Amino acid sequence: MANKSPKKEKDANKKKTNHNEKSDKKSSILSFTFTKLLFISAIFAALSSYYAYKIFTTPPDMPKLDLQEYWGPYPMNSEPDLSIRPFEIEFSDIMINDLKERLLHRRPFPPPLEEVGFTYGFNSHFLTRVLDYWQNKYNFKEREQFMNKFDHFITKIQGLDVHYIHVKPPVSEDIEVLPLLMMHGWPGSVREFYEVIPKLTTPQPGKKFVFEIIAPSLPGFGFSQAPVRPGFGPVEMAIVISNLMKRIGYDKYYIHGGDFGHVMGSMLVTFYPQNVLGFHTTTPLLLFHPLENIFTLLGTLWPSLIVEPQLQSRMYPLSEHLLRLAEESGYLHLQATKPDTVGIALTDSPAGLAAYIIEKFSTWTNNAYKKSGDGNLLAKFSLTHLLDNVMVYWSTNTITTSMRTYAETLNKRFIAMRLDEIPTDVPTWGIKFKHELVFHPDCMLKLKFKNYLHSTIVEDGGHFAAMENPDILATDIFDAVDTFLQFHNHTKNPETKERVPVNPNTAKTIYDFSVKDIYGRAVKLDKYKGFVLLIVNVASQCGLTDTNYNQLNELYEKYAKSRNLRILAFPCNQFGGQEPGSEKEIIKFTKERNIKFDIFEKIEVNGESAHPLWQFLKQTQSGTFGDFIKWNFSKFIVDKNGIPVERFGPNVNPIDLEPYLAKYW
């Protein structure tokens, strides 16, 4: 037995070895298979990601446009009417009497629930006050005259009578007049623009241009005829508006739009980029872009990747904003599916029409207003102005046709065109009021608007900017178009993008230099020829900031127009680290202070990296203790020939410079 033991042990070891070899071989095969699968999976994931990226970023084909499609009633005239006819808004006696009768004999409204404000919709207690005012105190003939204060015209485009306001500014020959197409939304009308038009046709300090206003009633809205057959969506409406501008005589123009006016602007810069010189919008958003949803969801995990920290509350928590949209978008679903049904009710009842339209001026101006029994409507608007807008719809019987626009926009045909995925190079500028219904960050907007240049952030205001904040809006449109002009000049002269720095030792005047403004655009200082200049290094967090910024603004407002004074402010962080912010933060700071003068990029004024302009200024006008700048708010006066003539330290307040500036007027 003892002799057999080694053999058995040997056989056992052999079996074990064979088993281990098989196990190792099997493990090796499994490992190889797993590695192979992992490699194949990685390739598949990479290809899938690539194709997904291509799907999301490859723009669709431009849809074919019928530029003369007929939308009017048949039979067509063999010879189209190309005339432009004067038009007057009329509130006829028959219409007024009928309206008053309907208001007088309205049925009693169910009383609102206790302390609900506008949370269930228009509070019927306050509606009674609105309707009584409309019936007894609204001066129809006076308002008719008011509505006709501007020149109105009608012309037939593609079978439709299209109405528009046309205001030409009376200005001197040295002021350039730029055409501005202004487009309203729903439930607005051309009435929205009555307060802002005079501000746009009057020169602003520092601007050498004003606007010639063309404000059409969009087809189906107000005084413009509605199409008689389906299929008239944003694309078709944009063609009509483009043809209108050609009929009036404008091949190139600027655009302002909000709400559906923004949609129209987006269509025009997509289809007619060669005609649109710049697009200003109060509703900067994308309607249908696949990456928009991805960006939004990504921001729920990392908000700072999508939106600036100071603006995150306008977009997140996402659940809160989706809840508000759900509360405020019931009208949208109704109008996108059954506009004619609700249209019948609103056409027959002035009480219903007033409640339906004016309620939007409450919650869309500020969502918190819904807690008030009067919707806080009179905080920003007057009953007269609100009813002016309602009268546009009532007197023309166009509430139904205006609402059909939603059915022609939120449908498969329009969405399938994927127009938000077609990029445009037209320079674009948005103003974002705090209580606007939807907030899209700049990174989203740049998916379509490749030259989205700037967003103005306003810590107040809502959807109806032209009526609520006409001063803010007018100033922003001027700033935007001023930027568009510089953009086009910069594009035409690409050599200015990379200019060889001027040697401050050989320069003769400041006109030899180029600088960058706060938006990063190159500016040749010879644009200031003939102006007296005050050049200052500024900071946002200095003890001298309040006094200097306030008085610089005061000087500018006092002398920019009367004496051709210009102030050039250069942020600098070399003194106590008191200008630490980014360009965006500096822009926000200056906007909050309503700064009118020119702000440039953040620079250094001392040391080896000092900007050449400031080297020149220091060499030309030495300080008490040498050339170097001592602190924030050092000041240089430059005469009309571009020569620095006087220098003042930070201790000299801007307002004390008046007698010194006066020497060079």
Side-chain angles (χ1 to χ4, degrees):
M1 295 294 295
N3 293 334
K4 291 180 181 179
S5 178
K7 185 177 179 183
K8 287 182 178 180
E9 187 175 330
K10 186 175 180 181
D11 290 342
N13 288 337
K14 187 175 180 181
K15 287 179 179 180
K16 187 175 181 180
T17 300
N18 290 337
H19 176 75
N20 289 339
E21 287 177 354
K22 289 180 180 180
S23 179
D24 291 344
K25 188 175 182 181
K26 187 176 181 181
S27 296
S28 178
I29 292 172
L30 288 173
S31 177
F32 175 76
T33 302
F34 177 76
T35 302
K36 190 174 181 180
L37 287 172
L38 189 64
F39 178 72
I40 292 172
S41 298
I43 292 176
F44 179 78
L47 288 172
S48 299
S49 299
Y50 172 76
Y51 282 114
Y53 174 80
K54 292 290 287 184
I55 290 171
F56 287 142
T57 58
T58 301
D61 294 333
M62 190 79 75
K64 294 181 180 179
L65 306 179
D66 184 345
L67 301 183
Q68 296 301 327
E69 188 171 4
Y70 185 80
W71 293 102
Y74 289 115
M76 286 178 59
N77 292 329
S78 57
E79 295 185 9
D81 181 4
L82 305 181
S83 66
I84 296 176
R85 312 182 300 277
F87 175 79
E88 281 195 4
I89 294 170
E90 181 185 8
F91 295 159
S92 71
D93 291 338
I94 294 175
M95 182 273 293
I96 294 170
N97 292 333
D98 173 71
L99 171 61
K100 287 186 174 183
E101 282 292 312
R102 291 170 185 265
L103 292 171
L104 177 63
H105 297 293
R106 64 183 183 265
R107 298 178 68 188
F109 305 126
L113 297 173
E114 294 179 358
E115 299 180 358
V116 297
F118 267 51
T119 57
Y120 277 63
F122 207 112
N123 189 293
S124 57
H125 284 336
F126 186 67
L127 180 60
T128 299
R129 177 181 167 185
V130 173
L131 300 180
D132 286 343
Y133 181 90
W134 196 6
Q135 179 187 347
N136 301 310
K137 296 182 180 180
Y138 183 84
N139 191 324
F140 290 89
K141 290 304 177 182
E142 179 186 273
R143 301 317 295 169
E144 179 186 85
Q145 292 176 6
F146 172 82
M147 294 292 284
N148 285 308
K149 66 185 291 187
F150 301 124
D151 291 331
H152 297 252
F153 300 91
I154 276 186
T155 187
K156 194 171 288 293
I157 305 289
Q158 297 171 245
L160 302 177
D161 276 338
V162 180
H163 159 265
Y164 64 96
I165 294 172
H166 196 170
V167 183
K168 298 181 179 181
V171 293
S172 58
E173 293 182 357
D174 61 328
I175 300 293
E176 186 177 7
V177 177
L178 306 176
L180 177 65
L181 169 64
M182 303 188 75
M183 294 177 289
H184 63 81
W186 187 94
S189 65
V190 290
R191 172 60 186 89
E192 289 183 70
F193 301 134
Y194 271 61
E195 280 71 36
V196 77
I197 285 175
K199 301 177 188 302
L200 293 171
T201 53
T202 302
Q204 284 201 351
K207 303 296 191 298
K208 283 290 189 180
F209 60 87
V210 293
F211 298 103
E212 180 173 339
I213 305 299
I214 302 95
S217 294
L218 299 179
F221 291 73
F223 309 104
S224 284
Q225 189 177 356
V228 300
R229 58 190 62 86
F232 189 82
V235 173
E236 293 73 23
M237 191 179 291
I239 295 171
V240 169
I241 297 300
S242 174
N243 286 336
L244 171 67
M245 294 302 286
K246 291 176 183 175
R247 174 74 55 81
I248 299 171
Y250 292 107
D251 184 58
K252 294 185 181 295
Y253 45 88
Y254 298 90
I255 288 176
H256 162 78
D259 189 83
F260 198 75
H262 163 82
V263 178
M264 294 308 303
S266 183
M267 296 297 100
L268 288 168
V269 299
T270 301
F271 298 132
Y272 303 102
Q274 72 279 7
N275 300 114
V276 182
L277 296 169
F279 176 29
H280 180 274
T281 172
T282 56
T283 321
L285 57 80
L286 303 178
L287 285 181
F288 310 109
H289 196 296
L291 289 179
E292 170 203 332
N293 295 324
I294 294 174
F295 278 33
T296 300
L297 293 174
L298 183 63
T300 60
L301 302 175
W302 298 285
S304 59
L305 292 178
I306 305 301
V307 60
E308 300 92 329
Q310 66 271 24
L311 299 176
Q312 286 179 14
S313 63
R314 299 193 182 194
M315 195 171 180
Y316 300 106
L318 186 59
S319 58
E320 292 182 7
H321 292 277
L322 290 178
L323 180 61
R324 183 193 177 194
L325 280 177
E327 290 178 349
E328 294 300 326
S329 59
Y331 81 98
L332 186 146
H333 183 74
L334 188 62
Q335 293 174 193
T337 54
K338 308 292 182 182
D340 284 29
T341 301
V342 67
I344 290 170
L346 300 180
T347 295
D348 195 54
S349 169
L353 182 68
Y356 197 71
I357 289 178
I358 297 176
E359 180 245 327
K360 303 295 184 285
F361 283 79
S362 170
T363 51
W364 291 6
T365 297
N366 188 329
N367 194 49
Y369 287 175
K370 67 184 179 183
K371 298 176 183 178
S372 174
D374 63 357
N376 224 18
L377 283 162
L378 302 185
K380 297 293 181 73
F381 311 104
S382 72
L383 288 182
T384 296
H385 292 175
L386 293 171
L387 289 169
D388 283 346
N389 184 61
V390 176
M391 281 295 294
V392 172
Y393 286 92
W394 181 262
S395 65
T396 59
N397 195 14
T398 54
I399 187 61
T400 300
T401 55
S402 73
M403 295 190 299
R404 287 176 185 162
T405 303
Y406 286 81
E408 300 291 2
T409 302
L410 302 173
N411 58 32
K412 290 181 180 179
R413 183 183 76 94
F414 179 71
I415 294 172
M417 294 183 191
R418 298 167 56 198
L419 296 176
D420 270 349
E421 298 175 55
I422 300 177
T424 176
D425 291 327
V426 173
T428 303
W429 176 300
I431 182 168
K432 300 178 179 179
F433 289 91
K434 185 172 185 177
H435 304 295
E436 182 56 270
L437 292 170
V438 178
F439 176 88
H440 280 175
D442 291 3
C443 63
M444 281 189 193
L445 299 171
K446 290 178 180 179
L447 293 171
K448 177 174 180 63
F449 306 105
K450 295 304 180 183
N451 287 311
Y452 188 85
L453 302 180
H454 174 67
S455 285
T456 301
I457 305 301
V458 184
E459 293 299 328
D460 189 24
H463 190 70
F464 302 98
M467 288 182 71
E468 183 188 357
N469 291 301
D471 288 307
I472 294 174
L473 181 61
T475 298
D476 201 63
I477 292 174
F478 269 101
D479 289 344
V481 173
D482 190 37
T483 302
F484 297 155
L485 289 167
Q486 294 181 47
F487 173 88
H488 289 297
N489 183 58
H490 190 50
T491 304
K492 289 178 183 177
N493 302 285
E495 69 275 4
T496 61
K497 293 181 181 179
E498 298 294 337
R499 295 180 61 86
V500 177
V502 177
N503 186 341
N505 297 315
T506 59
K508 302 298 183 184
T509 70
I510 69 155
Y511 305 145
D512 296 325
F513 296 90
S514 286
V515 295
K516 288 185 178 180
D517 68 10
I518 193 66
Y519 302 110
R521 302 165 304 205
V523 177
K524 293 183 67 176
L525 292 184
D526 59 6
K527 69 175 281 189
Y528 294 103
K529 283 184 177 179
F531 293 93
V532 175
L533 307 179
L534 183 59
I535 302 179
V536 190
N537 64 305
V538 298
S540 303
Q541 299 179 12
C542 179
L544 303 173
T545 297
D546 285 342
T547 299
N548 276 267
Y549 263 108
N550 291 339
Q551 293 188 10
L552 287 169
N553 230 18
E554 183 180 348
L555 278 178
Y556 186 82
E557 290 178 344
K558 193 172 181 180
Y559 296 116
K561 192 171 182 180
S562 63
R563 299 295 185 180
N564 280 341
L565 173 68
R566 295 294 180 267
I567 298 173
L568 284 58
F570 289 82
C572 178
N573 195 41
Q574 286 186 289
F575 306 104
Q578 294 175 349
E579 189 68 285
S582 65
E583 270 69 19
K584 282 192 174 182
E585 290 169 325
I586 295 171
I587 291 170
K588 181 175 182 292
F589 175 82
T590 57
K591 289 289 184 183
E592 288 172 349
R593 287 177 170 265
N594 198 27
I595 297 305
K596 304 291 187 183
F597 49 84
D598 296 342
I599 308 291
F600 294 86
E601 70 173 348
K602 187 157 67 172
I603 61 165
E604 293 186 5
V605 297
N606 288 330
E608 294 181 359
S609 300
H611 192 283
L613 170 65
W614 281 79
Q615 294 180 41
F616 174 71
L617 292 171
K618 292 188 295 181
Q619 291 172 16
T620 310
Q621 288 292 321
S622 297
T624 308
F625 301 105
D627 287 348
F628 65 93
I629 302 297
K630 316 304 185 295
W631 197 251
N632 304 309
F633 299 102
S634 296
K635 306 166 185 75
F636 292 86
I637 294 178
V638 178
D639 69 14
K640 292 182 179 181
N641 298 311
I643 299 172
V645 288
E646 301 202 43
R647 172 175 174 168
F648 301 89
N651 58 314
V652 179
N653 290 332
I655 207 69
D656 295 331
L657 299 179
E658 285 184 289
Y660 299 96
L661 290 166
K663 294 188 292 183
Y664 306 102
W665 293 143

